[in-house]
Amino acid sequence: MATASSQDAVRSRVSNKPSNTPHLEYQLIDKHSQIKTALDEIIRSQDTSPFLAVDLEGESLSRKGELSIVSIATDDDIYLFDIKKLGRDVFDKGLKSILEDSSRDKIMFDCRQDSDCLWHQFGVRLANVLDLQLMEIIHSEEHPDPDYPDRYEIPLLGSFLYCLKRYVKDETLIAKKEAGKYMMSADGVWLARPLKDVLLQYAACDVRGFFQLFRQLKDGLDGQGMQRLRIASKVYLDFQRARLRRHFDEFETNEYLPMYVIPAKGSLVFPHRNKECVGCLRDFQRSDFSNNQLRLRTQKCVVCKRVKKSMEAQARWEERERALQEASVADGYDSDGREIMFDFY
């Protein structure tokens, strides 16, 4: 917990305690004088809080986007580091060492873009992550969601909000998450200063909720399940970070679990792969493609095939919408079905 000597670090404190209260307590670190105290508290907490929850907020987070907030939670405290105000200095003063520490697990949710951003923009090689998005997929192998039986054929990746609703069922966290997502529908909200409290609450909600979700999912995983999670999380860390060049297209980023991220049940290794998918540009087994695809050099993995089919369906829908709109205008009605009044004078 924060001590009396750390009051300068407490930028914003609102009543925390659990999920039946309307606010979460957090410390907004946006002055250079606050950095050392906050980082020292995080390091000292390892004895009582071996895990850290970590999340990043920003605009188009990746090697190209702009980072705004790094959120770190221990069991007792939440720290929101304002990177837009602090700049690289906060990483040089110790945040880099915390994020790269291989002796302390970091609980995250879909770390791919965060890892890409930290490495390519700040030289921080995020390590020792347990990724909750992957953990939920492994958990669902034995505990599928009866409301979405089709999501497991080619596994759909659940969002954190979906996981909050299905597993955590904390109405306060769900409300904060939804309020923040509504505000984030506008561009640039994470870059404006001062940051609105609803966004800071959203950031705090994520890392506090990570702990709750981890506890819910951990009970459903056996020892090999946790081993598979560690292997898969390492793959996720490098999934975007290790690419020499990114395309930022639908094949690279979509709603499906990529193949060869989580080892198959009963295994802790992946098969040898040396044939590249022309969609996502990842390596696969030769047997993952048909001979005809290989001959024509049009081989796509099952995920990229599904993505391509979705893109084609979306294009057809948009074409129909344009045709209907054009037909309505030709008949004297606008796109909402209202009669167009022509002024002839």
Side-chain angles (χ1 to χ4, degrees):
M1 293 290 288
T3 61
S5 63
S6 66
Q7 291 306 303
D8 184 48
V10 184
R11 171 69 177 180
S12 297
R13 284 190 181 276
V14 282
S15 161
N16 185 9
K17 307 293 171 205
S19 38
N20 59 351
T21 57
H23 294 287
L24 292 170
E25 179 181 319
Y26 59 82
Q27 300 183 36
L28 177 59
I29 314 301
D30 61 355
K31 294 183 176 65
H32 289 269
S33 60
Q34 300 170 317
I35 294 174
K36 185 178 186 305
T37 300
L39 295 179
D40 286 348
E41 288 177 3
I42 292 170
I43 293 169
R44 286 198 303 269
S45 71
Q46 187 163 4
D47 291 338
T48 56
S49 178
F51 294 95
L52 293 176
V54 177
D55 194 30
L56 273 60
E57 307 292 353
E59 298 293 326
S60 303
L61 274 183
S62 66
R63 65 186 68 184
K64 287 175 59 176
E66 188 163 354
L67 178 59
S68 174
I69 294 288
V70 172
S71 311
I72 296 183
T74 65
D75 283 335
D76 297 315
D77 288 292
I78 298 171
Y79 304 84
L80 306 180
F81 293 89
D82 189 338
I83 306 303
K84 189 169 173 59
K85 285 192 174 182
L86 300 175
R88 300 183 66 94
D89 193 42
V90 67
F91 294 106
D92 297 336
K93 288 184 175 179
L95 185 55
K96 180 179 191 287
S97 297
I98 289 172
L99 295 173
E100 292 184 341
D101 185 358
S102 60
S103 69
R104 196 169 189 182
D105 286 320
K106 293 97 183 168
I107 304 170
M108 300 185 71
F109 194 98
D110 192 356
C111 64
R112 291 175 291 178
Q113 304 293 0
D114 294 4
S115 176
D116 191 49
C117 171
L118 287 170
W119 175 244
H120 290 277
Q121 292 196 37
F122 300 96
V124 176
R125 194 166 185 82
L126 190 61
N128 229 48
V129 165
L130 296 173
D131 196 287
L132 292 168
Q133 190 174 61
L134 300 174
M135 193 176 191
E136 194 272 333
I137 293 288
I138 296 172
H139 180 278
S140 294
E141 292 173 351
E142 302 298 334
H143 311 279
D145 187 343
D147 294 330
Y148 298 96
D150 296 335
R151 72 171 282 225
Y152 305 108
E153 180 188 356
I154 299 177
L156 276 170
L157 295 168
S159 69
F160 181 52
L161 182 57
Y162 163 82
C163 291
L164 281 179
K165 291 178 177 179
R166 182 183 176 196
Y167 300 100
V168 179
K169 299 173 183 169
D170 184 314
E171 294 303 323
T172 296
L173 293 180
I174 291 169
K176 291 182 184 303
K177 187 71 176 174
E178 290 179 332
K181 284 182 72 69
Y182 177 79
M183 181 164 285
M184 288 163 58
S185 60
D187 292 334
V189 293
W190 284 107
L191 304 182
R193 291 298 183 274
L195 279 167
K196 295 184 180 296
D197 184 65
V198 67
L199 292 174
L200 295 171
Q201 288 286 309
Y202 174 95
C205 155
D206 278 357
V207 286
R208 179 54 64 225
F210 287 0
F211 279 115
Q212 295 189 34
L213 179 58
F214 181 76
R215 285 191 289 269
Q216 291 290 330
L217 296 177
K218 191 173 186 296
D219 291 339
L221 267 65
D222 59 16
Q224 192 188 67
M226 287 301 296
Q227 287 180 289
R228 292 169 66 214
L229 173 62
R230 287 192 179 277
I231 293 168
S233 297
K234 288 181 180 179
V235 175
Y236 243 29
L237 280 170
D238 272 332
F239 195 85
Q240 306 294 8
R241 178 172 72 185
R243 292 179 185 265
L244 295 178
R245 186 163 62 96
R246 292 198 54 185
H247 297 274
F248 298 95
D249 59 10
E250 291 88 346
F251 294 118
E252 190 179 274
T253 305
N254 54 70
E255 61 185 349
Y256 299 103
L257 173 70
M259 294 177 66
Y260 303 117
V261 168
I262 302 175
K265 289 180 68 173
S267 175
L268 297 177
V269 297
F270 297 106
H272 176 68
R273 311 184 307 277
N274 61 359
K275 286 295 178 183
E276 185 179 78
C277 167
V278 300
C280 60
L281 305 180
R282 297 178 63 231
D283 285 339
F284 292 82
Q285 297 183 84
R286 186 183 183 87
S287 59
D288 290 324
F289 309 114
S290 69
N291 290 332
N292 191 52
Q293 283 183 316
L294 292 169
R295 181 175 60 82
L296 297 174
R297 297 182 181 178
T298 59
Q299 64 271 14
K300 286 188 177 69
C301 66
V302 294
V303 171
C304 287
K305 286 180 185 177
R306 178 64 62 89
V307 170
K308 186 173 184 290
K309 187 179 292 187
S310 298
M311 291 166 60
E312 290 170 345
Q314 178 68 18
R316 288 194 298 271
W317 181 85
E318 291 174 356
E319 182 60 34
R320 284 196 299 269
E321 286 295 301
R322 280 194 298 270
L324 288 171
Q325 189 173 25
E326 290 169 2
S328 296
V329 171
D331 290 339
Y333 296 90
D334 66 15
S335 59
D336 294 321
R338 294 187 295 264
E339 186 175 3
I340 300 172
M341 303 303 292
F342 295 98
D343 187 355
F344 295 102
Y345 302 98

